[in-house]
Amino acid sequence: MTGLLKLCERCFGTADLYQVLGVRRDAASEAEIRRGYHRVSLRVHPDRVPDAEKEEATRKFQILGRVYSVLSDQEQRVLYDEQGIVDEEGENLSRDRDWEEYWRLLFKKITVEDIRAFEEQYKDSEEEATDVKQAYVDFKGDMDKILQSVLCAVVLEDEPRIRKIIQQAIESGEVPVYSSFVKESKKKQDQRKKKAQREAEEAEKMKADLGLGESSEDLKALIQSRKKDRKQEMDTFLADLEAKYCKPSKRRSDKKAPTSKRYKK
């Protein structure tokens, strides 16, 4: 019977469970592990791939469920962190488990109304400021990537506000100075705004052409009608919201993993 670490190496190119979920070992809180699991699992969910890829997607989806089970369980995570091994005999790694049902218990469907309510609460909050500073450090001041990463960020509306958050953090010494931010050319900023304006106009035109409104099903239809890369961006956005704010099932353990600071000064 092949162990979990070898399966990860075979299917994801790494035996590091944190790398499989796309999170950093030294800064992976319970919420970040949950978010990483949701984001990666969306990409390989059997319902989201062509029929020809379902078998491989199902295998990866099941492996991801087992990875999350290890890192979301405090005892299992400590064992893995300290000794680099996984308790393959643990009940939460049972191969007979229905991993799709497990996934659905963890993540509920999110609606357009949920997104709007979240935006109102999130923007201008301390949480958003923390996320902005983390993105600034992660992407070394690249505003294109920062704006793509921060939840709910709309270039035409939010860039000046996000720039102000970063500038204040630089002046206070909270984050380092990156030339890609402080020396970004006006030409690049203009190109970003023009691209955002063009995409906004295209989205509105597509909604009009398809006769779509603002319901959840209309949102789904709009996503499906757009190019694959744009759909993936929306999937990631929804994954971030769900993983960050949807409450776990009562059937899930309340054990918490060790937390650490999100970014360093």
Side-chain angles (χ1 to χ4, degrees):
M1 183 181 296
T2 306
L4 177 60
L5 300 183
K6 288 186 177 180
L7 288 172
C8 288
E9 178 73 38
R10 182 183 304 167
C11 293
F12 295 96
T14 178
D16 187 315
L17 302 188
Y18 292 97
Q19 288 185 19
V20 171
L21 298 187
V23 299
R24 293 170 299 171
R25 180 187 293 261
D26 62 347
S29 66
E30 182 180 11
E32 287 165 325
I33 289 173
R34 182 181 170 86
R35 181 195 293 189
Y37 168 52
H38 196 193
R39 181 184 292 117
V40 179
S41 63
L42 278 175
R43 295 173 186 160
V44 300
H45 195 290
D47 292 343
R48 292 171 177 258
V49 300
D51 289 343
E53 301 175 17
K54 282 190 181 296
E55 184 176 350
E56 178 64 17
T58 298
R59 179 161 44 252
K60 288 184 176 180
F61 186 77
Q62 292 171 344
I63 293 170
L64 287 172
R66 297 174 67 196
V67 170
Y68 178 72
S69 288
V70 171
L71 296 184
S72 63
D73 182 285
Q74 189 172 16
E75 293 180 3
Q76 284 267 19
R77 183 177 177 183
V78 169
L79 176 66
Y80 175 70
D81 286 348
E82 294 182 351
Q83 300 184 39
I85 60 175
V86 172
D87 179 10
E88 300 284 353
E89 303 300 320
E91 182 180 351
N92 59 344
L93 288 184
S94 171
R95 292 176 178 272
D96 296 328
R97 193 170 191 172
D98 187 336
W99 292 108
E100 185 163 354
E101 177 64 18
Y102 172 71
W103 189 86
R104 295 191 185 283
L105 286 172
L106 287 174
F107 306 111
K108 72 169 187 177
K109 289 289 185 180
I110 195 165
T111 67
V112 176
E113 290 73 25
D114 291 331
I115 294 173
R116 288 173 177 162
F118 169 75
E119 285 181 347
E120 292 180 4
Q121 180 183 22
Y122 180 74
K123 288 188 175 182
D124 290 315
S125 68
E126 285 297 320
E127 184 174 16
E128 182 197 43
T130 298
D131 288 346
V132 168
K133 287 178 279 191
Q134 180 64 55
Y136 170 78
V137 172
D138 286 346
F139 300 115
K140 301 187 184 304
D142 187 322
M143 277 301 291
D144 287 339
K145 294 179 179 178
I146 292 169
L147 290 165
Q148 290 173 4
S149 172
V150 175
L151 294 175
C152 304
V154 178
V155 172
L156 299 176
E157 300 174 10
D158 300 314
E159 181 169 353
R161 183 172 56 79
I162 289 175
R163 278 187 170 278
K164 184 177 179 180
I165 292 171
I166 295 171
Q167 189 60 47
Q168 290 175 341
I170 291 174
E171 292 172 358
S172 68
E174 193 173 358
V175 296
V177 177
Y178 292 116
S179 60
S180 56
F181 175 78
V182 297
K183 295 183 179 180
E184 185 181 46
S185 67
K186 187 176 184 302
K187 179 180 179 181
K188 185 178 179 182
Q189 293 179 36
D190 289 342
Q191 288 176 337
R192 182 165 55 246
K193 291 177 182 177
K194 287 179 181 178
K195 180 182 178 182
Q197 182 64 51
R198 184 171 62 253
E199 290 178 349
E201 291 172 354
E202 289 174 354
E204 288 301 316
K205 183 178 184 300
M206 187 167 293
K207 284 174 64 177
D209 291 345
L210 295 174
L212 301 179
E214 300 296 334
S215 70
S216 299
E217 286 304 310
D218 285 341
L219 177 63
K220 181 179 178 181
L222 178 59
I223 293 172
Q224 291 176 339
S225 68
R226 302 182 75 182
K227 293 181 180 179
K228 184 177 180 180
D229 60 337
R230 302 301 299 165
K231 179 180 183 298
Q232 186 174 30
E233 287 177 12
M234 180 60 80
D235 281 345
T236 299
F237 169 67
L238 295 177
D240 286 343
L241 287 185
E242 291 178 1
K244 202 167 189 178
Y245 290 95
C246 293
K247 295 180 180 180
S249 165
K250 292 181 180 179
R251 287 173 55 183
R252 223 180 125 227
S253 170
D254 289 327
K255 295 177 182 178
K256 293 184 178 180
T259 57
S260 58
K261 294 182 180 179
R262 298 189 64 190
Y263 60 90
K264 297 180 180 178
K265 293 184 180 180

